[in-house]
Amino acid sequence: MTLPPMPPRPRWRNLALLALLLAPLLWPLQYFAERYYRSELAEQNRQTLDLYVANLFGTLRRYEVLPNILADLPALRALFAAPEDAARRDSANRLLARVRGETGADVIYLMGPAGTTLASSNWDQVDSFVGRDFSYRPYFREALAGKPGRFFGLGTTSRKRGYFFSSPVRDGERVIGILVVKVDLDDSEALWGNTPEQLMVTDRNGVVIISSRAEWRFRATRALDNAERAAIAANQPYPTQAPTPLRLDGDAWLIQSRELQEAGLTASILAPRQLIDRQVSTTLAVGGAALLALLLLLGLLLQRRRHYLERIAFDARARRDLEIRVAERTRDLETLNHRLKDEVLEREHTQQELVRTQDELVQAGKLTALGTMSASISHELNQPLAAIRSYADNAGVLLDHQRLDDARGNLRQISELTGRMASIIAHLRAFARRDRHAPESVALQPALDDALALLAKRRRALEVELIRDLPDATLWVQAGETRLRQVLGNLLANALDAVAEKAPPRRIWLSAEVTAEGVNLLLRDNGPGFSEQALRHAREPFFTTKTSTQGLGLGLAICETLMRALGGELLLANHPAGGALITLQLRGAAPGANLQSPEEFS
Ligand code: ADP
């Protein structure tokens, strides 16, 4: 059976590939992050620029109207009537110095129509403007033309950057002088803090006049044409006649500008791109980390899924294994079942065979039993027959001698013996048929005497000494009168056979012991004793060690059967001193009335 293929393992290499595929996701992130931070920065810088421009614009506006107002002051106008008048000059100088102090302007001064300075707020300074000619400055020319003048320029004496506002002083339609207010712009630069963003103010020429970076000052942010160059040479607004170009890298700076139309200035704020780049890269790093975490999580989930699938596959495999085992076991059981069925059939068959064989055996057994019975009959009847013959012979002799009483005695013996023979035949039949008479109380000693009497002649011939050790009191046992005599007769005949094999002295011992169950009758002889084989088989029918004329091997078999029928037992053994020792275990019985058993007549 083939198992389902395992799901492919998610490799870290695959995850890396996935990461590579997902990496482009970071581009839009970068784009949006840049856009966001750029607009953030732009908004912030716009506010800063607005503030700065408002401040600059406010400063300029504050001074814009001042020259026009001052131009109307009679104390100043009076000077134009007598420019050489020392007193007037002095009062004009002082007035201008006072106004300068009050307004915070850098310098305020009055110029004659020729361009010479007549009075100035810094009249008492080393770099006093009084007497100096500024006719080359555009603000002079513009004011002389009757218009308000505006100009940015570096102070020729002070070397300070300034914004100049000029206004004509009129007498009717005629311009009699010019009033100029110079505003210091150096301070506006100082306002700028030490931030990464840079400030830059360019004039009409595109030249940087104010910047938070000193090296950018007075450099041209665009190319200057000839007219502009000529104007610069003439007006001298910068410390140099030819400003060096300033090339700002558009990629490195984010530039926002605001124009101050009236002043002709452009204020710009320059933010280094790095500011955005740094934030964008931080965002990218966070995004990348999140992506990585996502991937790891994905990897982890895939791994868990793989484990789960593996477990399912394992369970399925185990289940399948179990099913296979169960199927195998079932097959085995089925095979076993078939075998069992076959065996049962065979058994039935065998049983039928057996029944048939048994029938045959029974048939054979019947024949055997018939043989056994006829053998037993002849065996058991031979002894009384011999005795009858001997009594009959004797009776003939006694009659010849007219000994009628003795002859009658013999005849009575013959009669008793024939009665006994009838009884024996009846018992043999009972033995063959397994017939059984209910046991009754029988006195042991008289039965023993009877059996001994039957064998008395032979015993005497063999000179066998009988040693009796029996109690005087009658021992009552459960037995049948004839059956007990039959057993005792057999055992005593065997003992005589055994001692006959030996030379005298020949002895037979008879003793009895009363036990809890009944009486044990012990029969011992000093013959050769049982051989090993005889001890094992003597009770079987037809076992004999004697010649065919002497023995049939039925004696002990009959004794055994009779004893069992009486509820007793026959034990065969050898005495330690030699010879056989046979024990008859008889069950005890209450003393009976009759010494003659009714079974004798059955
Ligand atoms: P049988 O006397 O016709 O041989 P039994 O059944 O009476 O048949 O005895 C069987 C055998 O047991 C005898 O052949 C003999 O070998 C043995 N046996 C019986 N009684 C004695 C005894 N008292 N001493 C020795 N052997 C005995």
Side-chain angles (χ1 to χ4, degrees):
M1 197 173 284
T2 51
L3 295 173
M6 292 290 285
R9 288 162 163 258
R11 299 264 158 73
W12 289 111
R13 202 186 51 205
N14 294 354
L15 277 179
L17 215 79
L18 196 67
L20 221 71
L21 284 173
L22 289 177
L25 278 180
L26 293 176
W27 287 335
L29 181 68
Q30 186 193 20
Y31 172 77
F32 286 116
E34 198 172 315
R35 239 179 64 160
Y36 173 75
Y37 287 120
R38 187 192 285 265
S39 73
E40 274 276 282
L41 190 68
E43 176 58 24
Q44 197 181 316
N45 285 351
R46 190 185 58 74
Q47 285 176 11
T48 313
L49 189 65
D50 281 353
L51 267 175
Y52 182 78
V53 167
N55 180 46
L56 186 65
F57 194 65
T59 307
L60 296 178
R61 280 298 288 270
R62 205 168 55 200
Y63 297 106
E64 196 177 24
V65 290
L66 196 58
N68 210 16
I69 296 166
L70 292 176
D72 287 340
L73 288 177
L76 298 177
R77 297 176 67 90
L79 185 60
F80 293 110
E84 302 302 323
D85 185 338
R88 286 190 184 186
R89 247 185 216 212
D90 189 49
S91 94
N93 279 337
R94 285 181 194 282
L95 177 66
L96 289 175
R98 207 180 70 232
V99 172
R100 188 206 78 86
E102 281 168 8
T103 58
D106 189 25
V107 191
I108 306 175
Y109 51 104
L110 259 175
M111 295 168 78
T116 316
T117 307
L118 302 176
S120 175
S121 60
N122 59 359
W123 59 278
D124 53 349
Q125 312 269 310
V126 276
D127 55 349
S128 167
F129 285 1
V130 180
R132 293 189 56 179
D133 184 358
F134 294 121
S135 60
Y136 61 92
R137 296 290 206 191
Y139 61 81
F140 170 75
R141 288 195 300 275
E142 283 162 10
L144 198 64
K147 294 183 287 182
R150 278 191 175 78
F151 174 68
F152 165 79
L154 196 68
T156 42
T157 331
S158 66
R159 310 307 290 175
K160 280 166 80 177
R161 283 163 294 170
Y163 202 84
F164 297 83
F165 292 105
S166 65
S167 195
V169 182
R170 297 171 193 271
D171 182 15
E173 281 304 304
R174 199 166 56 91
V175 175
I176 53 168
I178 299 183
L179 203 134
V180 185
V181 174
K182 184 191 173 193
V183 182
D184 184 5
L185 287 183
D186 278 4
D187 287 345
S188 73
E189 205 176 68
L191 285 174
W192 204 260
N194 192 19
T195 60
E197 290 90 355
Q198 302 298 327
L199 171 76
M200 187 170 83
V201 179
T202 53
D203 63 4
R204 283 196 178 86
N205 297 328
V207 175
V208 179
I209 54 168
I210 297 170
S211 174
S212 49
R213 278 205 174 187
E215 68 267 26
W216 288 357
R217 265 173 232 150
F218 305 113
R219 293 178 67 180
T221 56
R222 63 175 171 81
L224 296 164
D225 59 25
N226 287 339
E228 283 168 334
R229 260 194 225 105
I232 288 166
N235 303 336
Q236 300 172 28
Y238 318 122
T240 168
Q241 297 284 353
T244 52
L246 175 66
R247 305 238 177 279
L248 288 172
D249 184 359
D251 290 339
W253 299 96
L254 292 170
I255 304 169
Q256 278 168 279
S257 301
R258 179 67 49 90
E259 276 189 30
L260 284 87
Q261 287 272 333
E262 290 171 33
L265 300 177
T266 306
S268 303
I269 188 161
L270 293 94
R273 265 199 71 104
Q274 290 168 350
L275 285 183
I276 298 174
D277 289 349
R278 214 175 298 148
Q279 279 168 315
V280 167
S281 49
T282 308
T283 308
L284 274 182
V286 171
L291 197 69
L292 203 73
L294 211 73
L295 278 172
L296 282 173
L297 199 73
L298 192 74
L300 216 70
L301 283 176
L302 283 175
Q303 205 168 27
R304 286 199 64 173
R305 183 175 161 271
R306 182 168 61 77
H307 282 155
Y308 175 68
L309 288 177
E310 271 177 2
R311 244 194 59 196
I312 286 181
F314 180 78
D315 285 353
R317 227 177 4 234
R319 223 176 15 249
R320 212 149 301 173
D321 281 355
L322 193 70
E323 280 168 10
I324 289 170
R325 275 213 302 279
V326 167
E328 279 173 359
R329 193 101 186 95
T330 311
R331 260 203 310 279
D332 286 355
L333 282 175
E334 277 172 0
T335 318
L336 205 70
N337 213 7
H338 279 129
R339 227 172 35 228
L340 273 176
K341 273 184 188 164
D342 289 350
E343 268 174 29
V344 166
L345 276 175
E346 208 173 321
R347 263 187 99 89
E348 281 173 0
H349 192 69
T350 314
Q351 207 162 3
Q352 285 168 1
E353 284 271 298
L354 201 70
V355 168
R356 212 176 56 244
T357 316
Q358 243 171 7
D359 287 346
E360 285 169 9
L361 268 177
V362 165
Q363 203 59 33
K366 279 179 184 168
L367 292 173
T368 311
L370 203 66
T372 307
M373 194 183 287
S374 56
S376 298
I377 289 168
S378 59
H379 174 79
E380 294 297 330
L381 298 185
N382 266 344
Q383 284 174 10
L385 267 178
I388 286 170
R389 190 182 301 131
S390 132
Y391 280 127
D393 291 348
N394 275 351
V397 174
L398 289 172
L399 283 176
D400 290 345
H401 290 89
Q402 294 299 316
R403 288 170 59 187
L404 292 177
D405 285 343
D406 289 340
R408 199 171 287 119
N410 273 19
L411 286 174
R412 200 173 49 250
Q413 287 285 354
I414 289 169
S415 171
E416 274 179 22
L417 281 170
T418 49
R420 196 168 296 261
M421 280 171 72
S423 170
I424 288 170
I425 288 166
H427 275 92
L428 277 174
R429 196 175 67 233
F431 161 68
R433 287 188 190 162
R434 298 265 189 275
D435 277 356
R436 193 172 293 177
H437 291 274
E440 65 237 44
S441 292
V442 178
L444 182 61
Q445 289 94 329
L448 199 55
D449 291 340
D450 281 357
L452 282 168
L454 277 175
L455 296 162
K457 197 176 163 196
R458 188 159 174 238
R459 183 167 67 83
R460 272 196 300 276
L462 287 171
E463 295 171 3
V464 178
E465 184 188 355
L466 186 69
I467 302 156
R468 283 175 70 122
D469 183 17
L470 293 167
D472 294 333
T474 311
L475 295 168
W476 290 93
V477 294
Q478 277 186 29
E481 193 80 39
T482 312
R483 281 179 286 178
L484 184 59
R485 285 197 180 100
Q486 227 178 301
V487 171
L488 294 173
N490 273 329
L491 296 180
L492 285 169
N494 276 347
L496 288 178
D497 286 345
V499 292
E501 288 177 30
K502 279 188 64 181
R506 300 181 179 114
R507 287 191 186 107
I508 291 178
W509 289 266
L510 284 173
S511 60
E513 53 189 31
V514 179
T515 64
E517 287 84 26
V519 178
N520 284 354
L521 179 68
L522 303 168
L523 217 117
R524 179 190 159 195
D525 61 62
N526 65 346
F530 289 97
S531 66
E532 274 292 310
Q533 201 196 11
L535 265 183
R536 277 199 303 277
H537 302 290
R539 276 176 251 233
E540 294 167 11
F542 305 111
F543 176 85
T544 179
T545 55
K546 300 167 190 168
T547 59
S548 57
T549 50
Q550 267 184 325
L552 288 168
L554 278 171
L556 288 182
I558 291 171
C559 289
E560 165 91 356
T561 312
L562 293 176
M563 282 308 292
R564 281 193 186 284
L566 295 174
E569 209 160 341
L570 173 72
L571 303 175
L572 306 183
N574 284 322
H575 195 269
L581 173 65
I582 292 165
T583 310
L584 267 186
Q585 288 184 342
L586 291 155
R587 300 176 85 174
N594 291 330
L595 290 179
Q596 199 69 26
S597 167
E599 71 181 25
E600 285 183 35
F601 310 104
S602 63

